[in-house]
Amino acid sequence: YYVTGENIAMPHTSPEFGAIETSIAITTSKDGIYFENHEFNPVKVIFMISVLKPDDHIDFIMKIADILQDREFIYNLSNCENDNELKNILLNRINS
């Protein structure tokens, strides 16, 4: 996994570790999740990446890194209250 900055982590996997398709999922934790010995704890936004080709996770990470420059977006993700709010925040960002 990568903890990329305050409140954000990106665990990833590939076929040798059980990935069955290329996809991404996003979840949030209101209280945060603590990763061992990490300065950016607690993590509140988690981008989970699954890829079929070993180097494909790099493309996902680069695209997510671009999105992570939008501090208002990350703040909104970190503070969303429910699934519908999360979905709306993501759709607004995708469509902007």
Side-chain angles (χ1 to χ4, degrees), residues 31-47:
D31 297 325
I33 298 168
Y34 288 80
F35 286 80
E36 187 174 325
N37 299 323
H38 211 285
E39 66 182 291
F40 295 121
N41 282 326
V43 169
K44 293 187 175 183
V45 179
I46 303 169
F47 294 86

Side-chain angles (χ1 to χ4, degrees), residues 1-5 7-12 35 38 40 43 45-47 49 54 57-58 60-62 68:
Y1 65 88
Y2 297 111
V3 177
T4 61
N7 297 331
I8 302 163
M10 285 191 274
H12 57 280
F35 286 80
H38 211 285
F40 295 121
V43 169
V45 179
I46 303 169
F47 294 86
I49 302 167
H57 74 281
I58 295 169
F60 272 117
I61 290 169
M62 289 173 49
L68 297 180

Side-chain angles (χ1 to χ4, degrees), residues 38-86:
H38 211 285
E39 66 182 291
F40 295 121
N41 282 326
V43 169
K44 293 187 175 183
V45 179
I46 303 169
F47 294 86
M48 296 162 284
I49 302 167
S50 172
V51 296
L52 292 179
K53 297 177 187 170
D55 291 334
D56 283 354
H57 74 281
I58 295 169
D59 292 333
F60 272 117
I61 290 169
M62 289 173 49
K63 290 174 183 173
I64 293 169
D66 183 51
I67 292 171
L68 297 180
Q69 301 304 310
D70 184 343
R71 299 306 299 164
E72 181 180 356
F73 172 73
I74 296 304
Y75 175 83
N76 290 336
L77 280 183
S78 297
N79 292 289
C80 68
E81 296 291 326
N82 56 54
D83 292 344
N84 281 335
E85 189 176 348
L86 176 65

